[in-house]
Amino acid sequence: MASRTANKIVRRQHILTTALKIFNTQGFQNTKITDIIVAANISTASFYKYFSNKRKLFQAILILNIEAEIDHATEHLNSITAIQPQDLLTIFANRTNTDSFSELLYPDIVKEFTGYEHDHTVADFYHAKTEHFWRLLIRKLRQGHFIRPSLSDEALLIYFDVWISYFMDGNKLNKSGQPIIVELLPQITELFLFGMVNVDPELQNVIIERLK
């Protein structure tokens, strides 16, 4: 029984990995289920045993990636005994080795995060997963006296949510049809970090220089 379960996990992961490679090169919309079946060398029945349609497969890929990234960030955060403001850089920059997504997939990722066709599967998972991380981060920063006492946890959680929601809106992240996220990310990160963290101005300047 254990062996059979393990084989199912391996087979499902194989389909996910194969599908992501195809999505990254062809895009989500241009990929057919038959493309994935052929590339993964599986039967049609095997595909539908794990995923009811292409979108559910794509959602599973996103959820797996979200889980890996948040778990990795949480593990890193837990390893820090006495957090310092500069640790935030490594927490947010220290990513896992999970496969990345090509620019072709960005519009479809945004759709999933914004509840396309009233399906909030990915967005709900993301918010539930990140809330635990944000609360842990707030607790660590409070222990180091880096958050003003006047700021409540709930207010900070809304602050995080607003910040992240901006990145889920594809229309706001484009300028003349070109993505501007890379150009603005250091500035946005600076605002994000120091809108919540109260640190010495000299240390703040050092961290800002490292963001550039």
Side-chain angles (χ1 to χ4, degrees), residues 59-124:
Q59 289 177 337
I61 291 173
L62 293 179
I63 287 172
L64 192 66
N65 186 270
I66 291 168
E67 186 171 40
E69 290 293 344
I70 300 301
D71 285 350
H72 183 70
T74 301
E75 182 180 354
H76 183 63
L77 180 57
N78 275 321
S79 70
I80 301 173
T81 304
I83 196 169
Q84 297 296 318
Q86 54 266 40
D87 290 326
L88 296 175
L89 293 174
T90 58
I91 292 170
F92 291 111
N94 187 17
R95 298 176 60 84
T96 67
N97 293 322
T98 53
D99 295 326
S100 58
F101 299 98
S102 73
E103 292 183 3
L104 288 173
L105 295 178
Y106 182 74
D108 299 292
I109 292 173
V110 170
K111 284 183 179 179
E112 293 301 336
F113 273 96
T114 52
Y116 179 62
E117 293 184 338
H118 307 292
D119 186 339
H120 299 273
T121 301
V122 173
D124 288 347

Side-chain angles (χ1 to χ4, degrees), residues 59-201:
Q59 289 177 337
I61 291 173
L62 293 179
I63 287 172
L64 192 66
N65 186 270
I66 291 168
E67 186 171 40
E69 290 293 344
I70 300 301
D71 285 350
H72 183 70
T74 301
E75 182 180 354
H76 183 63
L77 180 57
N78 275 321
S79 70
I80 301 173
T81 304
I83 196 169
Q84 297 296 318
Q86 54 266 40
D87 290 326
L88 296 175
L89 293 174
T90 58
I91 292 170
F92 291 111
N94 187 17
R95 298 176 60 84
T96 67
N97 293 322
T98 53
D99 295 326
S100 58
F101 299 98
S102 73
E103 292 183 3
L104 288 173
L105 295 178
Y106 182 74
D108 299 292
I109 292 173
V110 170
K111 284 183 179 179
E112 293 301 336
F113 273 96
T114 52
Y116 179 62
E117 293 184 338
H118 307 292
D119 186 339
H120 299 273
T121 301
V122 173
D124 288 347
F125 179 85
Y126 178 82
H127 286 294
K129 191 73 177 175
T130 55
E131 182 175 347
H132 171 73
F133 172 79
W134 291 132
R135 288 189 182 280
L136 175 62
L137 177 62
I138 291 169
R139 187 170 74 249
K140 290 265 189 177
L141 288 170
R142 285 199 190 282
Q143 290 171 351
H145 305 289
F146 293 116
I147 293 180
R148 293 188 294 276
S150 60
L151 297 176
S152 69
D153 288 6
E154 295 308 314
L156 287 169
L157 287 172
I158 293 173
Y159 172 67
F160 295 148
D161 191 54
V162 169
W163 189 80
I164 292 169
S165 294
Y166 185 92
F167 288 86
M168 295 181 182
D169 188 336
N171 294 324
K172 292 180 180 178
L173 294 179
N174 286 276
K175 182 179 182 181
S176 301
Q178 297 295 322
I180 60 171
I181 183 63
V182 175
E183 175 187 342
L184 295 182
L185 188 56
Q187 300 169 52
I188 294 171
T189 305
E190 177 185 336
L191 288 169
F192 170 68
L193 294 178
F194 299 114
M196 121 181 124
V197 179
N198 184 23
V199 300
D200 177 77

Side-chain angles (χ1 to χ4, degrees), residues 15-33:
I15 297 172
L16 292 169
T17 302
T18 302
L20 180 56
K21 290 178 181 178
I22 299 174
F23 288 150
N24 273 336
T25 55
Q26 297 181 184
F28 175 75
Q29 301 298 334
N30 294 328
T31 299
K32 299 177 181 179
I33 290 178

